[in-house]
């Protein structure tokens, strides 16, 4: 790219040695351009006419620094940089920083390579900027090489470099490496704490995230908005509502509730904990909203079963002038899918492309396959997959397998399973889905055949577990759990629940129990599912009438869904169960999903 004509120096105007007074004036003018790229361009033109640029390193340094500070176009900065004779380390670092903070951080690596080829020694600022770029690119192997170079240069132990390293390893999925570096730091500032906490939060390690946050509190380090985003993310993943509420109180006390990133994370927490009323309240109290705020609530309403409200909010978002993103449309299509709105789903899918120019990604096609499958149009879903412009991934085929199992379409279930055997042969959930289907048809020989294939392939079934938060502690239960200190009273309450369920007319749903055993044994197996144990635990440890919240890592089975509906009526409790795909709000014998899940 060439400089604009107005900014091109004439041969007569370029001086080898511009007067110090002119240089000083140009630099002073640049410093006055703190908020305007247009003024910067005018100063640039003036400096070219006076012969200060293009080659003067001091003027070039200030021009590039001001451009980067204004988040100006890096193509402009690069053109200026290319004309500077012998740029100093500050200028090299500024270019790396500019690319690191841009939407295209990749050239930062090229600039660093050029710097090395020119024998420019890095300083204390080089590596923090470079690691920021490498973290954005998630270039783990390259980052490790740069880490080795930093050690050789004796700069690895500097606090700014170490902070950047902790952030880099955390973002690249190496939370343990980030923590090891953090532990060896002699000086741990807020940035370091935030980086290591965020590393665990990003890598779905909520327990470690919360443990480090408590350590941070004990060390007397005051959290900021970034800390709270990580804390709320971890709390949302664990379903730790009480801890999230504590964070909310702290946010209000410290004035951080006006931090939009933290407020959006809080909105997401309440949505993911099934507290949609509180999510809506946080949303409506926001002084400033961005598209993330709208999208978070739209998705929250959708996964909590309030599809109509999600679509109304989407309409309101458009009326307010916000432009939906591809993620917003994932939420909209999800709402349509989980509420059986087939026509609305196809309408929004078409609008996404025609009105907003958003090219559908695999996630959007996945929503459409799910939309058709859930509604019982399994054959249409299969045809849709075959006509997709993108190659269907394992998730798409797994979605078809799930809907085929629900609607007992043996033929398509086996088609989907054959595709999954090629794309993801070790996923235990696929075997379970097909086994459920075979068991529902009493095809026990096929069930046993699948079990043999799992054993031969070394595939292990992911054990179901349920989490309950009580007293700032998350209790975990698995099927038939006997490890909890309250095992005796829990099983006594479980026996009471079973007795009262029978009185209410409950009949166990045993079709999908994966064993050819006596009916009585099947019923016993069902009564010890982890979510039932978790509910029994909550019933004996919480006051009457208070809501019960359960987080389940797998899809709630048909029997548990039926039983929990009746339990909510017997004990007069609202029971909120978050399974792997959505929320179920059980109240007075009914569920918010209307048995459509």
């Amino acid at each position: 790219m060439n400089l604009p004509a107005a900014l091109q120096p004439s041969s007569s105007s370029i001086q080898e040695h511009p007067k110090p007074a002119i240089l000083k004036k140009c630099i002073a003018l640049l410093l006055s351009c703190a908020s305007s790229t247009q003024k910067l361009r005018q100063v640039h033109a003036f400096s070219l006419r006076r012969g200060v640029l293009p080659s003067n390193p001091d003027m070039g340094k200030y021009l590039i620094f001001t451009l980067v500070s204004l988040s100006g176009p890096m193509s402009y900065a690069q053109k200026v940089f290319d004309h500077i004779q012998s740029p100093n380390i500050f200028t090299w670092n500024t270019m790396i920083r500019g690319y690191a903070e841009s939407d295209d951080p990749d050239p930062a690596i090229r600039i660093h390579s050029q710097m090395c080829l020119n024998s420019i020694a890095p300083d204390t600022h080089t590596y923090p900027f470079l690691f920021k770029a490498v973290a954005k690119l998630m270039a783990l192997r390259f980052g490790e090489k740069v880490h080795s170079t930093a050690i050789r240069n004796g700069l690895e132990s500097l606090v700014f470099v170490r902070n950047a390293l902790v952030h880099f390893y955390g973002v690249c999925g190496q939370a343990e490496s980030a923590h090891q570096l953090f532990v060896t730091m002699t000086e741990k500032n807020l940035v370091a704490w935030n980086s290591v906490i965020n590393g665990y939060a990003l890598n779905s390690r909520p327990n470690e995230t919360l443990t480090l946050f408590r350590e941070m509190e004990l060390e007397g380090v005051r959290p900021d908005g970034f800390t709270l985003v990580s804390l709320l993310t971890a709390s949302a993943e664990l379903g730790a509502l009480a801890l999230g509420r504590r964070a909310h109180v702290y946010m209000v006390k410290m004035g951080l509730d006006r931090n939009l990133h933290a407020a959006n994370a809080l909105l997401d927490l309440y949505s993911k904990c099934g507290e949609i009323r509180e999510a809506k309240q946080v949303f409506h109290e926001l002084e400033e909203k961005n598209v993330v705020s709208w999208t978070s609530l739209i998705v929250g309403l959708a996964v909590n079963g309030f599809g109509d409200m999600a679509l109304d909010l989407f309409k309101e978002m458009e009326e307010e002038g916000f432009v939906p993103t591809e993620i917003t449309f994932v939420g909209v299509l999800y709402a349509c899918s989980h509420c059986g709105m087939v026509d609305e789903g196809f309408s929004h899918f078409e609008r996404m492309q025609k009105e907003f120019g958003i090219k559908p990604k695999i996630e959007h096609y996945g929503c459409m396959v799910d939309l058709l499958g859930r509604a019982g149009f399994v054959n249409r879903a299969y045809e849709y997959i075959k006509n997709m412009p993108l190659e269907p991934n394992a998730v798409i085929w797994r979605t078809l397998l799930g809907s085929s199992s629900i609607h007992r379409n043996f033929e398509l279930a086996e088609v989907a399973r054959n595709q999954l055997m090629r794309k993801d042969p070790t996923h235990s959930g696929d075997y379970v889905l097909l086994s459920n289907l075979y068991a529902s048809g009493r095809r026990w020989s096929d069930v046993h055949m699948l079990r043999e294939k799992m054993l031969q392939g070394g595939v292990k079934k992911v054990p179901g577990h349920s989490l309950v938060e009580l007293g700032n502690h998350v209790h975990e239960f698995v099927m038939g759990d006997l490890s909890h200190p309250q095992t005796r009273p829990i099983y006594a309450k479980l026996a009471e629940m079973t007795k009262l369920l029978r009185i209410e007319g409950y009949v166990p749903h045993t079709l999908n129990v994966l064993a050819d055993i006596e009916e009585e044994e099947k019923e016993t197996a069902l009564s010890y599912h982890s979510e039932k144990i978790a509910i029994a635990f909550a019933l004996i440890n919480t006051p009457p009438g208070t809501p019960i919240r359960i987080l389940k890592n797998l899809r709630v089975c048909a029997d548990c869904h039926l039983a929990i509906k009746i339990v909510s009526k017997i004990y007069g409790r609202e029971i909120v169960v978050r399974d792997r795909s959505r929320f179920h709000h059980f109240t007075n014998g009914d569920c918010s999903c209307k048995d459509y899940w």
Side-chain angles (χ1 to χ4, degrees), residues 22 132 179 222 274 276 305 376 387 389 479 504 507 523 563 567 570:
I22 295 175
K132 184 173 184 178
H179 187 246
R222 179 177 291 182
I276 205 66
N387 292 315
M479 180 176 175
E504 287 291 324
V507 177
E523 293 177 14
V567 168
I570 293 171

Side-chain angles (χ1 to χ4, degrees), residues 549-562:
R549 290 177 179 82
I550 308 293
L551 175 61
K552 176 75 186 282
N553 68 323
L554 302 177
R555 185 177 186 271
V556 174
C557 75
D559 179 75
C560 285
H561 192 270
L562 172 63

Side-chain angles (χ1 to χ4, degrees), residues 355-539:
E355 291 186 33
F356 298 97
I358 297 173
K359 187 176 181 180
K361 292 191 172 180
I362 198 72
E363 293 84 0
H364 301 105
Y365 286 109
C367 286
M368 301 308 289
V369 172
D370 192 48
L371 172 69
L372 290 168
R374 283 179 187 274
F377 303 119
V378 185
N379 288 309
R380 276 183 63 189
Y382 179 50
E383 291 300 318
Y384 189 87
I385 292 171
K386 289 195 295 183
N387 292 315
M388 278 171 45
L390 300 179
E391 182 181 353
N393 60 10
V395 175
I396 297 285
W397 289 113
R398 192 164 292 124
T399 300
L400 181 66
L401 175 58
S403 57
S404 298
S405 298
I406 291 168
H407 298 288
R408 302 188 68 184
N409 189 319
F410 288 88
E411 182 182 352
L412 282 184
E414 287 170 354
V415 168
R417 185 244 180 179
N418 289 335
Q419 291 290 336
L420 286 165
M421 288 302 292
R422 292 192 303 107
K423 293 181 177 291
D424 191 6
T426 61
H427 192 281
S428 63
D430 302 335
Y431 289 89
V432 173
L433 281 171
L434 197 55
S435 293
N436 281 338
L437 180 59
Y438 287 150
S440 69
R442 301 191 179 280
R443 291 169 54 172
W444 301 115
S445 61
D446 290 323
V447 171
H448 292 307
M449 178 196 67
L450 278 176
R451 186 171 293 176
E452 285 295 322
K453 286 189 176 180
M454 285 182 72
L455 290 171
Q456 291 168 8
V459 180
K460 294 183 179 180
K461 181 180 179 295
V462 176
H465 69 250
S466 295
L467 306 178
V468 183
E469 184 189 18
L470 185 69
N472 291 326
H473 181 71
V474 177
H475 299 259
E476 181 177 346
F477 299 95
V478 297
M479 180 176 175
D481 203 330
L482 298 172
S483 63
H484 198 276
Q486 289 184 279
T487 291
R488 192 179 295 274
I490 287 171
Y491 276 82
K493 177 59 74 172
L494 201 56
E496 176 191 292
M497 283 169 52
T498 304
K499 182 180 178 181
L500 293 174
L501 281 167
R502 296 280 191 184
I503 293 171
E504 287 291 324
Y506 159 76
V507 177
H509 192 283
T510 61
L511 271 179
N512 296 121
V513 178
L514 303 183
D516 187 10
I517 56 177
E518 294 297 326
E519 200 69 15
E520 187 177 344
E521 293 177 75
K522 292 183 183 180
E523 293 177 14
T524 302
L526 288 170
S527 66
Y528 295 146
H529 276 193
S530 64
E531 52 266 60
K532 290 175 182 170
I533 298 173
I535 290 170
F537 167 78
L539 285 171

Side-chain angles (χ1 to χ4, degrees), residues 198 201 224-237 240-241 243-245 247-248 251 256-273 275 278-279 282-283 286 288 290 292-297 300 578:
N198 188 53
D224 65 0
F226 292 105
T227 324
L228 288 167
V229 168
S230 297
L231 176 64
L232 291 167
T233 300
S235 301
E237 188 167 338
L241 180 61
L243 182 62
R245 282 183 172 145
H248 189 178
M251 285 171 64
L256 291 170
D257 55 324
R258 291 187 291 274
N259 180 303
L260 187 57
H261 293 298
N264 284 340
L266 182 66
L267 197 163
D268 188 55
L269 164 89
Y270 284 131
S271 294
K272 288 181 176 176
C273 288
E275 282 294 331
E278 293 189 49
V282 169
F283 176 82
L286 285 174
E288 176 191 357
N290 61 10
V292 176
S293 315
W294 289 90
T295 298
S296 296
L297 187 56
R578 169 182 155 194

